[in-house]
Amino acid sequence: MSASAGLCRRRLDGVVDDAVARQRQGLGRAGFRDPAIELTLRLAGEGLPLKILIVNTLYPPEIIGGAEVSVSLLAEALVQRGHQVAVVCLQNKPDRTVDEAKGVRVYRLPLDNDYWPFGNDRKPSSVQRLKWHLKDTWNRRSAARFAEILDLEKPDVVHTNNLTGFSVSLWSQAKQRNIRIVHTLRDYSLLCKRSTLFRGDTTCAQRCTLCATMTSPYLLASRMVDAVVSNSQFVLDQHTKLKYFPRTDGRVIFNIADPGSVVPSPPSDSNDLIFGFIGRIEAEKGIEVVLRAAEQLPDNGWQLKIAGKGLEDYVRGLKGRSGRNVEWLGFAKSAEFYAGIDVCLVSSVWPEPLPRTLIESINAGRATICSTAGGIPEIAGFSNLIGSYEPNDHKRLGELMLKAVNERSHWKLARPPLAGFAERFSADSVTGQYLDVYLNNNRTNRQ
C-alpha cells in the first residue's frame, strides 16, 4: 500500500472509530446501543410507521441501469404500505432540489466531484478517472450534504444502495446519529473501481492491486453497517469472503418484479424467430459474444433486435460488423421491446448480480438463453429456459440459438413464469423481507 493510501486509511480509521464511539451510552453497561432494538420498542410503544431514508446514486427519471428501477419500486411499495419514505440521489445540477414522486420525497443533490460520469457517450481520460475515483473514496462534502438531510428527515432507518458519487462517508453521518444502517449490494463498487470485477474482456479472477488499495477504506467502513442485503447470493459471497461487513447480519432479497411494466403478449407475427438483446451496449453485457454467435446461424429463419445505447465509437464499430438479420433499435421501452421478440438473450460476461432484463423476460413470458455469469443462474430456472452457456462461449450460445431457430414453433409461445416466481419477487414479499431487516427480525448471522 502506498504512503498516501496508508495515510488515507489511518484517517478513515479514526473517522470510523469516532462514529462508532458516538454510540456509546453512559448507562452503566458495556457495549453499544442497538438502534434496531430501540426502534422496535419505540414503534411498539407509539404505533407509528417507519421513517425510511433510502440512498441510491440515481433515481427515476434518471435511469442508466436496473438499480434505479429496483430502488424506486421498493420505495413506492413501502409508501403504499403506510411508511414514510424519502430518497437521496444525485443530479447533474449545481443545487439541491426536492420533489415528490408517487408519495416519495426525493432529494436530488449536486455531485461533489470533477465531472458527471453517468450515461456519457465518451469516456474521460485515465488521469481524469483516477482523480475522480480518489475523490470518491471518502467524500467529505457529500457527507456534509447528507448530514443536513438526516437532521431534516430524522429517519428511523438509513437504507443505502449504490453509493458511487456519494462515497461510503455517508455511513459515518448515520452512525454518529445512532440510526440503523442497512446496505443493499447491487454491484461490486465496494470491491472494484469499475464496479464490475471485469476488465478488458474477462472477469477478474482476483482484484488488481490498484482496486484492492483504493477500496481498502470501504472494507474498514463496512464495520459501520448494521445489516447487509444482496440481490444475489453470488454477490454477497464475493464481499464476505474478503471480510467485508464483519459480524453483520446478511441475507439475500430479490428485487421487486413489477407485473404492470411488462406483460405477456402474443408471439410476433413474423415467421422468423426473433432474438432480443436489451441493455447498455458494452462488452460487459456480452454484446460481442451475441454477435459472434449470430454469425453461426443460417441466413434465414431468424432476426436479432438490439436495444440500448453505448459509447458512440464502440456502437458504430459493432454496427459495421453486424449482418442484415440484425436490427439496431437504440433506446427502446421495455414493454414494446419484449412484445416484439420471442427469445431474450441474457448474455452478461461480467458477473452481473441479478439482471432486471431476466426478471422482465420472465414477466413477459419470453423464452430465454442465459449465460452463467454472476447471480443469473439463481433465477434463470424461473424462466422458459432454452439453455445456459458459460460467459464468452459464443460457440455454445450459437448452438442454443440454432436449436431455438429449428424449434421456433415451440419457443415463440409466451408462457407464464414457473411456480414460486411471484412469491419471491412480489412487492409484498420483498417489502416484508426488508421490513424484517429494518427492524432486525429473523436475524441471519453469517459464520
Side-chain angles (χ1 to χ4, degrees):
M1 183 181 295
S2 67
S4 60
L7 177 60
C8 177
R9 184 183 178 105
R10 289 193 296 274
R11 286 176 175 172
L12 179 56
D13 200 6
V15 172
V16 173
D17 289 343
D18 179 65
V20 174
R22 285 173 182 265
Q23 288 194 77
R24 292 186 182 275
Q25 301 298 300
L27 302 177
R29 65 174 179 84
F32 304 93
R33 216 170 95 198
D34 188 332
I37 293 175
E38 293 196 350
L39 174 57
T40 304
L41 292 174
R42 183 183 72 76
L43 293 176
E46 300 177 18
L48 297 176
L50 275 174
K51 294 186 68 176
I52 305 161
L53 185 62
I54 298 177
V55 183
N56 193 59
T57 300
L58 300 175
Y59 194 79
E62 191 79 53
I63 298 175
I64 62 169
E68 296 81 58
V69 177
S70 299
V71 169
S72 64
L73 288 174
L74 176 61
E76 292 161 12
L78 288 166
V79 167
Q80 291 169 5
R81 284 150 186 78
H83 300 285
Q84 299 176 31
V85 181
V87 166
V88 180
C89 63
L90 296 172
Q91 64 177 353
N92 193 16
K93 295 181 180 179
D95 301 310
R96 183 180 85 183
T97 62
V98 185
D99 58 75
E100 186 166 310
K102 299 184 179 180
V104 180
R105 184 182 295 111
V106 183
Y107 293 88
R108 302 183 189 274
L109 306 185
L111 173 68
D112 293 298
N113 214 320
D114 294 341
Y115 62 87
W116 183 258
F118 310 111
N120 294 332
D121 291 330
R122 298 186 182 278
K123 184 182 292 187
S125 71
S126 57
V127 173
Q128 288 175 311
R129 297 198 305 273
L130 177 60
K131 184 179 177 183
W132 195 99
H133 286 301
L134 285 171
K135 196 168 185 178
D136 195 50
T137 300
W138 188 268
N139 194 318
R140 294 179 182 274
R141 180 56 182 149
S142 182
R145 292 185 192 274
F146 185 61
E148 293 174 1
I149 297 173
L150 287 176
D151 293 337
L152 283 172
E153 288 290 326
K154 295 181 170 56
D156 300 310
V157 178
V158 166
H159 177 185
T160 56
N161 296 263
N162 289 349
L163 288 173
T164 300
F166 284 114
S167 86
V168 297
S169 62
L170 273 57
W171 291 339
S172 67
Q173 298 302 318
K175 202 70 173 177
Q176 289 173 16
R177 290 160 177 78
N178 200 49
I179 301 170
R180 180 166 171 81
I181 303 170
V182 174
H183 182 70
T184 294
L185 298 166
R186 299 187 183 277
D187 62 14
Y188 305 96
S189 56
L190 299 182
L191 309 178
C192 169
K193 276 304 179 180
R194 290 174 56 86
S195 303
T196 59
L197 293 181
F198 185 92
R199 188 172 186 176
D201 60 355
T202 186
T203 299
C204 301
Q206 62 182 26
R207 289 192 299 167
C208 63
T209 302
L210 181 61
C211 279
T213 301
M214 292 182 68
T215 61
S216 61
Y218 303 162
L219 173 64
L220 180 61
S222 72
R223 290 167 23 192
M224 293 188 281
V225 174
D226 296 297
V228 60
V229 172
S230 176
N231 57 10
S232 79
Q233 188 65 50
F234 182 91
V235 176
L236 185 61
D237 290 345
Q238 298 308 302
H239 287 77
T240 57
K241 75 180 184 182
L242 293 173
K243 309 302 182 184
Y244 278 72
F245 307 102
R247 301 178 301 279
T248 302
D249 295 339
R251 70 177 69 181
V252 173
I253 302 177
F254 291 151
N255 298 325
I256 294 174
D258 181 8
S261 63
V262 177
V263 296
S265 58
S268 61
D269 295 332
S270 173
N271 291 327
D272 292 341
L273 187 72
I274 303 179
F275 297 102
F277 171 102
I278 185 170
R280 180 83 176 160
I281 307 300
E282 56 190 2
E284 289 93 324
K285 288 288 189 178
I287 183 62
E288 296 182 41
V289 178
V290 168
L291 293 175
R292 291 186 68 186
E295 293 173 357
Q296 303 170 219
L297 301 180
D299 292 336
N300 301 309
W302 65 277
Q303 299 174 41
L304 170 60
K305 294 185 177 182
I306 298 174
K309 297 178 66 177
L311 297 176
E312 288 181 358
D313 292 343
Y314 180 69
V315 174
R316 188 182 303 113
L318 293 178
K319 287 182 178 179
R321 291 158 40 196
S322 61
R324 63 179 182 84
N325 297 58
V326 180
E327 181 181 1
W328 297 80
L329 304 176
F331 174 80
K333 294 182 179 179
S334 294
E336 295 174 1
F337 171 78
Y338 290 106
I341 70 166
D342 302 309
V343 178
C344 187
L345 304 176
V346 185
S347 55
S348 295
V349 177
W350 76 287
E352 190 160 7
L354 194 76
R356 180 153 290 278
T357 298
L358 180 50
I359 296 174
E360 291 176 342
S361 299
I362 296 170
N363 260 341
R366 292 308 186 238
T368 64
I369 300 177
C370 299
S371 88
T372 57
I376 293 175
E378 296 176 37
I379 66 169
F382 288 114
S383 72
N384 184 21
L385 183 65
I386 297 171
S388 296
Y389 65 98
E390 291 295 316
N392 279 317
D393 189 350
H394 67 277
K395 291 184 178 180
R396 178 56 181 158
L397 173 57
E399 292 171 357
L400 291 170
M401 293 173 71
L402 181 59
K403 167 185 167 67
V405 171
N406 291 336
E407 302 171 353
R408 53 184 173 274
S409 61
H410 175 74
W411 298 112
K412 285 179 75 72
L413 298 176
R415 290 179 172 83
L418 297 183
F421 175 78
E423 179 182 351
R424 298 292 299 275
F425 290 84
S426 71
D428 282 338
S429 173
V430 173
T431 54
Q433 292 176 74
Y434 267 109
L435 288 169
D436 282 341
V437 175
Y438 294 160
L439 294 171
N440 211 20
N441 295 334
N442 303 319
R443 296 187 181 190
T444 304
N445 294 310
R446 297 190 306 272
Q447 301 300 318

